[in-house]
Amino acid sequence: MKPVTRLVPLALALATLPPLQAQEQAASPPDTNKKPASNEALKDVVVRGESIQGAYGNPLETAVTGLPAPIKELPVTVNTLTEQFIQDTSARRIRDVVGYVPGVSASDDSGATGDLLKIRGFDFIYQSYINGMRNRVSYDSSRRFSNIERIEIFKGPGGVEFGTGDPGGFVNYVTKKPEAVQSTEMGVEVGSYDYVHAYVDSTGPLTPGSGSFDAKSGAAMSDGLGVFYRMIVSGDSANSFRDAFHTDGYQVAPSILWKYAEGSSLLFEFDYQYRDQPYDRGIMYIEGAGFKDNFAPINTSYHEPTDYFDNHNTRSSLYWTHKVNDNVTLRVSGEVDTNRGMGNGVRNPSTFLLYGSGNEWNGNPTIRRTTQDFDSEMWAYNLKPEVLLNFETGSVKHTGLFGVNYAYTDTKRRSMDRYDLRPISFPVPVYGQPPILHPPGLVPRNFRLEEELEEFGVYYQHKADIGDKVHLLGGVRYDWYQDELATTTNVLLRPLPPLSGYSDQDWSGRLGAVVDITHNVSLFAGVSTSFQPQTGQLASGESPDPLEATSIEGGIKANFCDNRLQTTLSVYRTERENMLEADPNDPNGPFFDPDRHGDDQWCRVRSYRQAHGGSGYPRRLLLHGQRDLGYLGSDYPRQELLQRARLPGRDAPALRHQPLAAAGPEPGCRCGLRG
C-alpha cells in the first residue's frame, strides 16, 4: 500500500477530533471564570485518498478507441482488468486472468510460452497493443504485469481503431505513469513449487517544486507542472507442478514525465523484460496405457529438465501531447521494439508412433524425440501522429480524431533439429538419457525465415453528443499492407530465396449509437468492419483477397451502486468471408504455409466470397454469441460453427496430443507482503 493510502484512516480520525472535543465541553459544567475565547481561523484540513470506484470494473472513462470518452457512451464492448484485480489474483501473465473475462480464453501458442488468446471464438495473434501502439515482436514471450496499470480487452472488429487483424478483438496494455506524489511500494510473494516474486515501484517528482501536493501537509504547492519519474523493478522464479520445468525472469521499467504546460506533456518509457520459459506441450491423451481417464498424470512431462527458451524484449516509447487551445490537441507517439529469443529443447513430434489405428496405445515403450536449437531476432518501429478536436455546434458536442500510423517489422528466425535422437521411456519417463548422434536414415533440418512487413494507415473517428441522452460514434480507416517473405525448411538442401511477397489494402468502418434511457441504463447498437491480409496463391495464380469481417452488435449497458457495478447485456453476430481452403482437385499446388515448417506443407487453395450456393464448400464462417448480465460485463458466448471446412471424403484426425495444463507454478497457493 502506498503511503498516501495509509494516511487516509489517520486523516479521517483526526478530522473527527474537533467535534468530539466540543461534545466533552458541552457536557462539563461551565467555567464562569474562563475568559472568552478569541476568534481564531482554523487551519485547512486536507483529506486525500484513493477512490475505490471501479476497483475491479471498467474505469468511467477510457481512451481505448483513441477518443477519450466514458465507456457507457461508446457503442462497443470493452472489459478491463485493473491493477487491483491483477494484484489480488497474483497473475503473472495474461493466461492467468483471461479465465475471469467472458468470451476470452487462452489459445495454443507453441508450448504455452506466449500470450495468444481466442476472443469471441477467433484466434488472436499480433493484436497486442501497449498504450495504443501495436507490438508484434514479443508474441511468443509472456508479458509481465509489474508496470501495467490495467488491461483493456476490446471485443469485436477494431479495424478503425487498431488496423488490420482478426475480428475477435484486441488487447491494449496501459502502463503505469509517473505520479506527482512521492511514494515507494515494495512487495514479496512466496508460494508453492518454490515460487518467489519480488518488486519495487517508486515514483515522485524529479525536480524541486514539481508536483501538486506537499508531502507532509497535503496542501497544494504548485500547478502540477514539472518533471516526474517512475522506476519499477521486479523478478520471479518458480518450479512447477509439471516435472522437469522451471521458469524465471525479471523486468526493469523506468519512465520520465515532463508536464510543461496545462494539457501538454512529454513522456518517455523504457521497458526491458527477460523470461526463461521452456516449451511445454501439455498432457497426452492415450487409451490403454494405464492412465486414469486415459490422460497422462498432470505432472508428467516428456521434455527434459535442461530445456530452455530465453527471451529478451525491449520497448522504448515516446509520447508527446500538446494542447494548442481548447479545441485542438496534438499527439505524437513513437516506439521501437526489439526481441531476441534463443532456446534449446527436446521435441517429441513423433508421438503418433505410440498409437494404433485409433487412440489406443500400440505397446511401443519409447517416445521418439529429437533436439531442436532455435533463435530469432525481431525489431520494429512505430510512428503515430494524431490531431484531437473538440468543438460544439449548437447543443451538439463534437470530438474528432484524425491520425496516421506507420509500422515496420523485421524478422529473422532459425531452427535446427533431427541431428540426433533423444528417445525416452513411456509411459514413465526417465530423464537425462544420452543422445544418439547422427542416427542413420535421419536427415538434419535447418530452417530459415526472413520477413519484412510494412503497414500504413490513415483514419478518422468522430463522436457527437446530442444533448445528454444520445451519443453517436463513427469512423473510417484505410490500411495498406506489404509483406515480403523468404523461407526454406532446409537451407542445406534449398538455399534461402530472395524476399518476395504481396501487398494489400482495404477500408474499415464503424457506425454506432448509444441512447441513455435513464441515468444508469443505456441502449447501444453498432456495425463495424475489419480485414486481415492472407498469404497464398489461388489456382488461377492470383493472390487471395483479404479476410473481411463484419459484425453487428447491440445491447444494454447499466451502472449501479455509484458505478461500482457495471453490467452489459449484448447480442452480436460476426461474419467473415474469403477464407481459404485446400483445393482437393490439385493437392500439389504452389502454396506454402511457413508456419508449418516441421514438414513441407504444399497445397493449392481456393477462396470464396459468396454467402451461399456452389459446390458444397463453406463460403463463410458465422459465429453467434450473446452476452449476459454479470460482474465485469460477463459474457457467456454461444458459438456455433454453421459450416465446417473439411475436404470431401476425409474425416477429422483423431485427438492425439492435448495441451490441457499450461506450464507454471500453479496449482498451489501464494502469500505475500506489500508495503
Side-chain angles (χ1 to χ4, degrees), residues 336-667:
V336 177
D337 304 302
T338 68
N339 168 269
R340 178 65 192 274
M342 298 169 288
N344 176 280
V346 177
R347 302 287 177 261
N348 51 359
S350 301
T351 51
F352 66 91
L353 296 176
L354 297 173
Y355 294 84
S357 58
N359 287 326
E360 73 280 358
W361 182 35
N362 60 15
N364 190 343
T366 303
I367 296 180
R368 178 177 173 178
R369 307 180 307 170
T370 183
T371 303
Q372 184 182 43
D373 292 298
F374 49 92
D375 67 71
S376 64
E377 291 184 61
M378 303 178 69
W379 73 276
Y381 62 86
N382 209 325
L383 183 64
K384 184 167 68 172
E386 296 177 319
V387 179
L388 183 64
L389 306 173
N390 291 278
F391 59 95
E392 297 182 6
T393 56
S395 61
V396 181
K397 297 180 180 179
H398 300 269
T399 305
L401 178 67
F402 173 79
V404 178
N405 188 197
Y406 175 79
Y408 173 85
T409 305
D410 183 270
T411 303
K412 292 180 174 60
R413 295 185 180 273
R414 179 193 69 87
S415 68
M416 297 176 58
D417 62 358
R418 299 180 64 174
Y419 55 83
D420 69 356
L421 285 179
R422 299 289 301 276
I424 193 170
S425 56
F426 181 84
V428 180
V430 177
Y431 304 114
Q433 300 300 310
I436 302 173
L437 298 177
H438 308 294
L442 192 64
V443 179
R445 289 187 296 193
N446 197 325
F447 171 78
R448 293 287 192 276
L449 180 145
E450 293 184 4
E451 182 179 18
E452 294 182 3
L453 173 64
E454 286 186 278
E455 301 168 272
F456 179 79
V458 180
Y459 52 91
Y460 180 77
Q461 298 182 59
H462 194 93
K463 180 175 180 287
D465 301 313
I466 305 175
D468 297 328
K469 300 292 186 180
V470 179
H471 314 281
L472 307 178
L473 179 66
V476 64
R477 179 176 179 130
Y478 178 81
D479 280 288
W480 174 82
Y481 181 104
Q482 179 169 320
D483 189 8
E484 293 189 339
L485 180 75
T487 183
T488 176
T489 56
N490 197 333
V491 73
L492 302 177
L493 301 179
R494 292 186 295 272
L496 189 68
L499 291 173
S500 63
Y502 67 100
S503 63
D504 218 329
Q505 54 276 324
D506 209 338
W507 293 88
S508 301
R510 176 180 297 280
L511 184 62
V514 178
V515 179
D516 297 334
I517 303 301
T518 67
H519 178 70
N520 296 326
V521 179
S522 304
L523 299 178
F524 75 96
V527 58
S528 59
T529 63
S530 67
F531 80 99
Q532 173 67 47
Q534 53 184 341
T535 59
Q537 189 177 36
L538 302 179
S540 63
E542 300 176 349
S543 297
D545 290 334
L547 289 168
E548 297 177 343
T550 302
S551 181
I552 300 174
E553 182 173 2
I556 304 173
K557 295 185 178 184
N559 300 319
F560 303 102
C561 304
D562 294 330
N563 292 313
R564 296 178 183 176
L565 177 62
Q566 303 172 35
T567 61
T568 302
L569 170 66
S570 70
V571 178
Y572 63 90
R573 171 189 172 95
T574 301
E575 179 178 300
R576 184 165 65 171
E577 62 180 18
N578 298 338
M579 299 179 65
L580 300 181
E581 68 172 6
D583 185 349
N585 298 320
D586 191 357
N588 298 315
F591 173 72
F592 173 63
D593 181 1
D595 294 330
R596 299 293 301 275
H597 59 264
D599 296 295
D600 287 349
Q601 303 290 329
W602 298 88
C603 62
R604 192 178 293 273
V605 297
R606 296 162 54 148
S607 177
Y608 301 96
R609 303 189 64 179
Q610 293 76 26
H612 304 285
S615 55
Y617 296 100
R619 265 48 173 181
R620 290 179 174 179
L621 177 66
L622 303 180
L623 291 177
H624 294 266
Q626 61 185 18
R627 176 178 298 272
D628 206 346
L629 290 173
Y631 192 63
L632 283 177
S634 296
D635 181 357
Y636 304 94
R638 175 178 59 87
Q639 297 178 353
E640 179 182 1
L641 184 62
L642 299 184
Q643 297 180 344
R644 184 182 181 88
R646 180 180 293 178
L647 299 182
R650 300 185 184 181
D651 294 327
L655 177 65
R656 290 290 189 246
H657 197 249
Q658 188 167 331
L660 296 180
E666 300 83 12

Side-chain angles (χ1 to χ4, degrees), residues 62-337:
T62 181
V64 67
T65 65
L67 289 171
I71 287 183
K72 70 174 186 177
E73 296 181 2
L74 298 176
V76 298
T77 300
V78 180
N79 289 126
T80 301
L81 299 168
T82 64
E83 177 186 4
Q84 188 65 52
F85 182 81
I86 293 172
Q87 287 185 353
D88 290 348
T89 56
S90 293
R92 290 293 163 261
R93 53 180 182 162
I94 191 69
R95 299 172 70 92
D96 297 336
V97 292
V98 294
Y100 299 96
V101 181
V104 184
S105 61
S107 181
D108 178 24
D109 58 0
S110 300
T113 61
D115 292 337
L116 302 191
L117 307 174
K118 284 185 179 294
I119 303 179
R120 288 186 170 177
F122 290 95
D123 287 329
F124 168 99
I125 186 172
Y126 300 130
Q127 291 175 208
S128 290
Y129 285 69
I130 303 174
N131 298 328
M133 303 286 282
R134 190 192 292 264
N135 188 286
R136 287 184 176 272
V137 304
S138 58
Y139 74 93
D140 54 0
S141 176
S142 296
R143 179 165 302 283
R144 301 175 66 89
F145 290 163
S146 297
N147 68 329
I148 298 302
E149 178 180 285
R150 67 181 183 271
I151 304 170
E152 300 173 323
I153 300 180
F154 180 101
K155 295 180 178 177
V160 173
E161 297 81 6
F162 299 100
T164 61
D166 286 313
F170 296 77
V171 174
N172 183 49
Y173 297 88
V174 180
T175 58
K176 299 176 182 178
K177 307 300 190 294
E179 299 178 356
V181 179
Q182 179 68 49
S183 68
T184 299
E185 179 177 335
M186 296 179 289
V188 177
E189 286 185 341
V190 295
S192 305
Y193 308 103
D194 303 318
Y195 170 77
V196 178
H197 172 253
Y199 70 94
V200 177
D201 182 356
S202 180
T203 186
L206 193 61
T207 57
S210 299
S212 301
F213 299 95
D214 181 82
K216 294 183 179 180
S217 67
M221 57 178 286
S222 75
D223 54 5
L225 306 181
V227 182
F228 313 93
Y229 81 95
R230 191 154 196 165
M231 172 61 78
I232 300 173
V233 180
S234 68
D236 60 63
S237 176
N239 291 320
S240 173
F241 65 93
R242 299 278 288 162
D243 296 339
F245 187 90
H246 176 83
T247 181
D248 59 76
Y250 57 87
Q251 178 181 14
V252 179
S255 58
I256 296 178
L257 173 64
W258 177 29
K259 293 185 176 181
Y260 60 87
E262 180 185 357
S264 300
S265 63
L266 185 65
L267 171 65
F268 173 75
E269 292 185 348
F270 178 78
D271 186 8
Y272 171 75
Q273 300 189 24
Y274 164 78
R275 169 66 67 187
D276 175 17
Q277 182 169 314
Y279 283 133
D280 188 344
R281 299 294 182 180
I283 298 173
M284 185 179 298
Y285 176 89
I286 188 168
E287 301 170 0
F291 297 145
K292 182 180 179 181
D293 298 326
N294 298 318
F295 285 98
I298 191 173
N299 64 290
T300 301
S301 170
Y302 295 100
H303 297 275
E304 286 288 331
T306 55
D307 290 0
Y308 71 91
F309 184 19
D310 290 344
N311 257 282
H312 303 262
N313 293 287
T314 69
R315 178 179 61 88
S316 303
S317 304
L318 191 66
Y319 309 95
W320 178 56
T321 301
H322 182 75
K323 183 178 179 180
V324 178
N325 50 46
D326 292 338
N327 303 115
V328 180
T329 299
L330 305 179
R331 301 190 307 203
V332 178
S333 302
E335 184 170 294
V336 177
D337 304 302

